Every structure is written in structure tokens, then in C-alpha cells.
Amino acid sequence: MSISTRSFPPLNVDERTTLESWLDFHRATLAHKCAGLSDEQAREASARPSELTLTGLVQHMAEVERTWFRRILTGERVAAVHGTDATPLGPLDLVDGHDVGFEVAEGATLEGALAEWQAEIERARANCAPLSLDATGTFPWAFAPGEPAGSPVSLRWIFVHMIEEYARHNGHADLLRERVDGSTGW
């Protein structure tokens, strides 16, 4: 695999550019891990006994983008990207452990999952663009003592969380891709 399609984050820029650049780097890393795979390969649960697939990871990250940048940051009520439940959810409707998207429906394709994910990324960028890092959304879960459900959460915190979320799942993608076709690299 080549890293030529990804831009390494700049080393000495302001906080906002640093956060956005690292998030975009990790987004590009996931796309990079899926590049060149057939639907069959991307649907392969290659690290048994786990049922995790690259298509499932992409679907999940579309849901994560939607949850953090639409439901939590802006309070938008929207249904899940994947699944059969079309109930619009706002930030306080989410249950702890809101991990959806991993299951790949029959007929779902990597191309379709990537397109939905990219659409959520574009929406996230549009939602964030006019906001300062101090802008807040509504954190849906009781997080720690003194931080009940409904507490304000800053865009800065959301960016850091999303970088962490992608970094963790990109580690999963590394293993899945290597098991599918032997490709390694970051």
C-alpha cells in the first residue's frame, strides 16, 4: 500500500488545523485500508472468531460521524445510517454503547458504504465549519461523576474523541486487511 493518497498532518499550525488535519488523516487511512478490495474481500470476517469486516467498519464510522457531528453537536434528529430502524434519534435518545453499523446487510457493498460514509464526512465538515472549538453540543451519556447525561461537550472534545475513535478502528482495519490479502503498512 502507498501512503501517497494521504496528507500527513502539518507539524506546526494552530489547534483547529491540527485537530482537523489529524481527523482527516485518520479518515483517509480507513479509506486507504479499503482501497482495491472487492465486495467479497471487504465483507470477509478475516480475524476469527470476530465477525468484524472492513465494510462493517466503514458503515460503523458513517454512523459515528452522524452521531457526533449531527446528533450530538447540532442536536439534529436523524435515523441510523444502517439498519432497519428509521426512528429519528436526537442526542438524548441514544443509549450508552450506541455501536451500530457493524453488521453488513445482504446486498450491501463496500462502494455503497464508502459513499454513505463520505456523505456523512461532508456533512460533518459543513456542521463544524462555522463553529469555534468552544462550541458545545449535548453529551448523551452519564460520563463521569459530575457529568450527567445532557452535559455540554465542546467541539474540541469531539474532535479529540473522533481522532481516538478512528485510530482505534484503523488498528482493526490494519489487521483485517492483512488477513484478507497480506497488505500491510500504515
Side-chain angles (χ1 to χ4, degrees):
M1 293 182 165
S2 164
I3 63 165
S4 62
T5 57
R6 294 179 293 160
S7 297
F8 197 78
L11 299 176
N12 189 21
V13 291
D14 64 274
E15 180 183 20
R16 175 78 177 236
T17 303
T18 298
L19 293 170
E20 289 177 342
S21 297
W22 272 108
L23 181 54
D24 283 340
F25 176 81
H26 282 293
R27 287 167 169 159
T29 298
L30 182 57
H32 176 69
K33 290 297 174 182
C34 296
L37 292 177
S38 68
D39 284 329
E40 183 178 318
Q41 289 172 310
R43 291 175 69 94
E44 184 178 337
S46 60
R48 296 281 180 201
S50 173
E51 294 296 317
L52 190 61
T53 69
L54 285 164
T55 300
L57 273 177
V58 172
Q59 290 181 166
H60 173 68
M61 292 312 297
E63 186 62 39
V64 169
E65 293 273 352
R66 178 173 282 199
T67 292
W68 285 97
F69 293 115
R70 294 176 71 181
R71 292 182 180 118
I72 293 172
L73 182 62
T74 68
E76 186 178 350
R77 297 185 60 78
V78 288
V81 179
H82 299 279
T84 58
D85 187 355
T87 304
L89 300 174
L92 295 178
D93 298 322
L94 301 172
V95 295
D96 198 5
H98 185 72
D99 288 332
V100 299
F102 287 117
E103 291 185 19
V104 180
E106 190 172 326
T109 65
L110 177 60
E111 181 181 354
L114 288 168
E116 291 168 334
W117 174 56
Q118 288 298 323
E120 288 302 325
I121 289 170
E122 291 309 313
R123 184 69 179 261
R125 287 182 178 134
N127 285 351
C128 293
L131 302 176
S132 78
L133 292 176
D134 295 322
T136 60
T138 304
F139 196 83
W141 307 287
F143 185 64
E147 298 288 345
S151 293
V153 58
S154 71
L155 177 56
R156 177 182 291 102
W157 193 99
I158 292 170
F159 274 139
V160 171
H161 170 70
M162 290 297 291
I163 292 164
E164 169 273 324
E165 180 94 10
Y166 271 100
R168 181 167 19 98
H169 288 313
N170 283 339
H172 300 136
D174 283 337
L175 295 171
L176 293 169
R177 181 62 190 252
E178 183 175 4
R179 294 289 304 233
V180 167
D181 69 359
S183 294
T184 61
W186 58 283

